[in-house]
Amino acid sequence: MFGTLVRNLVRDLVRQPMRTLLTLSGVVWGTFSVVLLITFGDSVSKAQMKQFHGMGQGIVLVFPSQTTLPWQGFVKGKPVRVTPEMVEAIPDKVPGLDLISPEFIGSRLISYGRQQFRNTVRGINPPFELMRNTIAAEGRFINPQDMESRKRVCMIGDVLASDLFGSDKPVGRTILIDNVPFLVVGVMRPKKQNSNYNGQRDERCAFIPWTTFGSLYGTKYVSNFIFRPQDPNQTKAVTEGVKRHLAKLIGFDPADPDALAVWDTMEFEKQISVFFLAFTLFLGLIGSFTLLVGGVGVASIMRVVVDERTREIGVKLAVGARRRTILWQFFGESIMIMLFGGAIGFGLSAAVIRAVHALPQKGFTEFIGSPTLNPLVIAATVLILLTIGVIAGMIPAKSAASTDPIEALKK
Amino acid sequence: MIELQGITKIYKMGSQTLEALRGVSLKIGKGEFISIMGPSGSGKSTLMNIVGCLDTPTGGRYFLDGKNVAGLTFDQLAAVRNRKIGFVFQNFNLLPYSTAWENIELPMLFDGKNHRKRKERVTELLQAVGLYDWREHRPSELSGGQQQRIALARSLANDPPILLADEPTGNLDSKSGQEIMDILMRLWKEGRTIVMVTHNDEIAAKSQRVIRLFDGQVVPERTA
Ligand SMILES: Nc1ncnc2c1ncn2[C@@H]1O[C@H](COP(=O)(O)OP(=O)(O)OP(=O)(O)O)[C@@H](O)[C@H]1O
Ligand SMILES: [Mg+2]
């Protein structure tokens, strides 16, 4: 029974090859759109998240600002000044901190031989490396001895390194920062990063001990500091602790919302991941509409088919076909077209995705990331395909099954 | 076996109504061979369609084997058409894209018979109507007489006790018509109940009894 059914289905479809092909192409194109849009949406999201992670995961950035509430006789608008010593002392007073680093930031003239650039110089301490993912690929990062002796050493970003040295090895050479010689002790490992604050991306920065930065340039107050809580789930509580501690130390209202500007990357990550999920769903929706158009094509062609075969339906009903049997016949044809078209669409998308992988990861392709046909995408597409297929197949099949045999035989 | 009580069929066409059957009552016993005659438009096909469970009457009652057909659902009627009643049409009503074999097989597919049973029965029927060698041909490659023999074979697929034929020889030349009549006679002698519509007195004469319709009513039998 089932074998005969499939055989008849295939024969029906082959009888009008041009029409079957056209109907099929709508479904192929629709599936292609759904798969590619969802896959690329997913991959762009992942690539963006990865670049965001490049700045550091689970860290909190604090930017001292101005008071916006009066406090103990002071009017509002008092600048909040934080010294690096205060920052490094925070873990003694506030529990739950893992790493912390103050940060001085300045724009300085950096030169080596004839090469000269105005780039960002960051005065930091050793824990900065882990928090901000500024790992040394060659040599090392700033270490405690450098801090202690205010050494004139630096680690430089990978792009700055190649700008200054071309293909030469930078470690062990001396560069000038505002005409002061600095020994290059390390070159940063290249990383994907698009989030940033105060200055250039890390790839173009020079990192020096904040102790050196402070004594050399006379800077007293940090432009910001960074910390990482031991338990990521306690970020909010730890941040509150830091705020309260500094409020007491410096003298501002702990309830002042703006005295310290806080950027909690965990919180931010949650928000952008919601955004990217919405973005991917939106693309999926657009793809689904394309597939819906393909489904409408199937439904309307099947209507024509049902119309043309009214007599055949009449004959079948006359010799004892049940309504369900007729329903399945036409429904089966629609579903076959949908599934076959879907399979081709999947194949084409897989080919395109493969082609994208073959491209070098640069510029646009870096933005796209590496799209993969993950099981979730496949499941989502199959679900969309089936939903549309069932609806597109059911409408004409129902009308076929409700044919009146006497009327049909008169045609 | 077949009992009709005051069957009416009214067609509504806009504001006009047309009474195709105006209270037809009749009884047909098991194993009878009945001819239905009457002028064109007298309601013969309408009556056959109702008896064949293809159509439902507007009024009256129809008992098939003592069961009221009015209470059956569409799919239950389909089952009756499939197993109890074989129907032969004037214009054959074969599936044009299917072979002779597949056409005969059709009612058995709807009955869910397995492949082996279908094969046996189709072979048997093709041999009975003398068209085994034509089994792979489509209707368009067969003569009218051959097509009607295939249609007849199809109507017998599930071995129904009742065979209804609406002008089975109407579209055929006399030689082909004769072949069909020979098969019908043989089937009757094997014990089947046969009801046949015809315009031909000679053909009607072969049946046991003639029911005459006129303007949607049965003409009382004149005892000859
Ligand atoms: N679907 C329909 N709608 C309206 N009127 C119909 C319909 N079917 C049949 N009729 C009418 O019912 C009447 C009986 O038709 P029917 O086909 O039963 O006649 P018949 O005796 O079989 O005629 P013929 O010998 O020409 O086949 C006719 O007047 C016909 O026009
Ligand atoms: Mg008729």
Side-chain angles (χ1 to χ4, degrees):
Chain A
M1 179 79 193
F2 189 71
T4 317
L5 208 72
V6 170
R7 200 151 39 84
N8 286 344
L9 287 185
V10 172
R11 193 178 50 196
D12 288 342
L13 294 179
V14 170
R15 204 186 293 157
Q16 295 262 9
M18 202 57 203
R19 188 159 75 185
T20 304
L21 223 63
L22 281 174
T23 318
L24 212 56
S25 66
V27 180
V28 170
W29 179 243
T31 310
F32 184 70
S33 311
V34 172
V35 175
L36 283 194
L37 285 172
I38 298 182
T39 307
F40 279 82
D42 182 56
S43 151
V44 166
S45 308
K46 287 216 177 90
Q48 295 305 305
M49 290 301 275
K50 197 165 160 190
Q51 298 210 9
F52 173 68
H53 285 161
M55 203 188 67
Q57 258 175 290
I59 57 174
V60 178
L61 294 124
V62 182
F63 302 86
S65 175
Q66 291 187 336
T67 60
T68 52
L69 294 173
W71 181 250
Q72 296 180 340
F74 288 102
V75 293
K76 65 178 183 180
K78 179 187 150 196
V80 175
R81 296 205 171 99
V82 180
T83 65
E85 289 83 1
M86 282 183 196
V87 171
E88 291 191 332
I90 292 175
D92 302 334
K93 301 284 193 254
V94 180
L97 275 170
D98 181 18
L99 301 168
I100 192 160
S101 171
E103 187 169 0
F104 286 134
I105 293 178
S107 178
R108 307 281 160 187
L109 214 55
I110 303 178
S111 62
Y112 178 76
R114 292 165 161 272
Q115 305 295 331
Q116 176 167 307
F117 306 94
R118 182 162 283 281
N119 279 15
T120 303
V121 174
R122 297 174 187 273
I124 42 68
N125 73 10
F128 186 91
E129 179 181 22
L130 280 180
M131 286 191 287
R132 293 271 279 94
N133 260 329
T134 52
I135 316 284
E138 288 164 45
R140 59 171 180 83
F141 194 67
I142 305 303
N143 69 20
Q145 287 79 49
D146 300 333
M147 301 299 301
E148 190 76 24
S149 334
R150 305 176 179 209
K151 282 191 187 154
R152 290 176 183 176
V153 293
C154 64
M155 187 191 80
I156 55 178
D158 51 309
V159 172
L160 176 60
S162 57
D163 282 351
L164 289 175
F165 296 96
S167 53
D168 289 353
K169 289 254 173 255
V171 177
R173 297 182 197 259
T174 302
I175 59 171
L176 298 176
I177 299 179
D178 274 359
N179 287 321
V180 178
F182 271 78
L183 178 68
V184 177
V185 294
V187 176
M188 193 185 83
R189 190 173 74 189
K191 64 175 181 173
K192 293 206 164 111
Q193 176 195 357
N194 58 359
S195 299
N196 210 26
Y197 58 92
N198 292 357
Q200 292 158 305
R201 288 187 184 191
D202 295 339
E203 62 195 16
R204 293 185 187 276
C205 293
F207 303 89
I208 64 174
W210 68 259
T211 48
T212 314
F213 194 109
S215 59
L216 208 56
Y217 307 122
T219 317
K220 284 207 187 73
Y221 305 113
V222 301
S223 57
N224 62 277
F225 62 92
I226 303 168
F227 66 85
R228 191 168 79 181
Q230 282 158 0
D231 178 359
N233 297 319
Q234 293 300 315
T235 305
K236 278 231 164 69
V238 172
T239 307
E240 274 314 303
V242 169
K243 258 190 183 173
R244 250 190 328 246
H245 166 68
L246 287 180
K248 205 165 108 196
L249 194 68
I250 301 168
F252 61 86
D253 188 342
D256 193 328
D258 296 317
L260 295 173
V262 174
W263 182 12
D264 178 348
T265 59
M266 291 272 287
E267 196 54 39
F268 186 68
E269 179 168 346
K270 270 185 215 148
Q271 287 167 8
I272 63 168
S273 65
V274 167
F275 166 78
F276 277 118
L277 184 67
F279 168 71
T280 306
L281 286 179
F282 175 69
L283 289 182
L285 200 68
I286 293 177
S288 305
F289 277 122
T290 316
L291 189 53
L292 194 67
V293 172
V296 170
V298 173
S300 58
I301 288 292
M302 286 311 290
R303 264 212 105 90
V304 175
V305 171
V306 168
D307 241 37
E308 280 177 0
R309 296 189 359 215
T310 306
R311 208 184 153 73
E312 170 191 325
I313 298 168
V315 169
K316 287 184 172 171
L317 289 172
V319 301
R322 282 172 299 181
R323 295 228 184 268
R324 217 179 323 148
T325 312
I326 302 295
L327 186 94
W328 274 104
Q329 178 193 342
F330 289 95
F331 184 63
E333 278 189 26
S334 307
I335 290 290
M336 280 242 302
I337 295 175
M338 291 298 288
L339 289 185
F340 193 53
I344 297 175
F346 259 111
L348 283 180
S349 332
V352 167
I353 289 166
R354 226 168 226 273
V356 168
H357 277 278
L359 295 174
Q361 285 273 314
K362 249 186 176 176
F364 182 62
T365 42
E366 188 183 31
F367 170 74
I368 289 175
S370 66
T372 42
L373 261 182
N374 67 45
L376 209 69
V377 174
I378 295 175
T381 312
V382 169
L383 200 74
I384 295 169
L385 200 67
L386 282 182
T387 310
I388 292 175
V390 165
I391 297 169
M394 253 321 163
I395 296 168
K398 280 231 152 139
S399 92
S402 60
T403 304
D404 175 26
I406 296 282
E407 290 302 315
L409 287 177
K410 278 188 185 147
K411 291 220 170 161
Chain B
M1 174 150 240
I2 294 170
E3 186 173 359
L4 304 182
Q5 297 175 352
I7 292 288
T8 60
K9 181 75 187 180
I10 299 171
Y11 289 110
K12 284 202 174 69
M13 292 173 297
S15 57
Q16 283 194 313
T17 58
L18 191 144
E19 278 187 83
L21 295 176
R22 318 165 178 256
V24 172
S25 300
L26 53 84
K27 269 188 186 176
I28 296 169
K30 188 169 156 47
E32 272 199 279
F33 186 176
I34 307 284
S35 291
I36 295 180
M37 296 193 76
S40 187
S42 58
K44 304 183 296 294
S45 293
T46 307
L47 181 64
M48 287 294 268
N49 289 341
I50 289 171
V51 172
C53 294
L54 270 168
D55 207 351
T56 47
T58 312
R61 297 202 290 177
Y62 171 19
F63 295 97
L64 184 65
D65 284 336
K67 256 188 13 203
N68 193 351
V69 169
L72 300 182
T73 64
F74 185 93
D75 282 358
Q76 286 170 324
L77 288 176
V80 172
R81 293 197 292 272
N82 188 240
R83 295 185 204 134
K84 276 211 164 153
I85 300 173
F87 211 114
V88 180
F89 304 88
Q90 180 173 357
N91 58 357
F92 325 133
N93 278 334
L94 295 172
L95 295 184
Y97 298 106
S98 300
T99 61
W101 180 286
E102 289 163 339
N103 267 289
I104 297 174
E105 196 180 27
L106 204 57
M108 289 186 269
L109 282 175
F110 299 142
D111 193 30
K113 289 206 166 67
N114 69 32
H115 181 76
R116 195 178 50 81
K117 273 197 181 146
R118 297 202 306 264
K119 193 172 169 182
E120 268 174 28
R121 182 67 178 154
V122 175
T123 307
E124 188 181 307
L125 287 165
L126 277 166
Q127 280 162 352
V129 297
L131 289 174
Y132 186 76
D133 293 338
W134 296 83
R135 64 189 178 280
E136 292 306 330
H137 289 255
R138 294 179 180 207
S140 57
E141 298 156 3
L142 301 174
S143 74
Q146 288 173 321
Q147 287 186 53
Q148 192 62 303
R149 272 142 71 192
I150 295 298
L152 197 53
R154 179 183 66 188
S155 73
L156 297 169
N158 288 328
D159 202 11
I162 301 169
L163 193 63
L164 305 179
D166 191 351
E167 297 190 48
T169 61
N171 281 3
L172 305 179
D173 59 76
S174 58
K175 184 175 165 287
S176 306
Q178 190 54 50
E179 283 169 359
I180 295 295
M181 281 314 296
D182 290 345
I183 299 171
L184 283 180
M185 293 303 288
R186 201 170 73 217
L187 291 169
W188 171 54
K189 283 179 184 142
E190 284 167 15
R192 252 173 266 261
T193 309
I194 295 180
V195 183
M196 176 182 72
V197 172
T198 181
H199 282 293
N200 189 325
D201 285 312
E202 213 175 302
I203 287 174
K206 298 192 174 175
S207 63
Q208 291 175 298
R209 180 153 68 100
V210 178
I211 294 173
R212 289 183 190 277
L213 277 185
F214 186 80
D215 201 14
Q217 284 178 310
V218 179
V219 180
E221 265 179 271
R222 288 162 293 174
T223 37

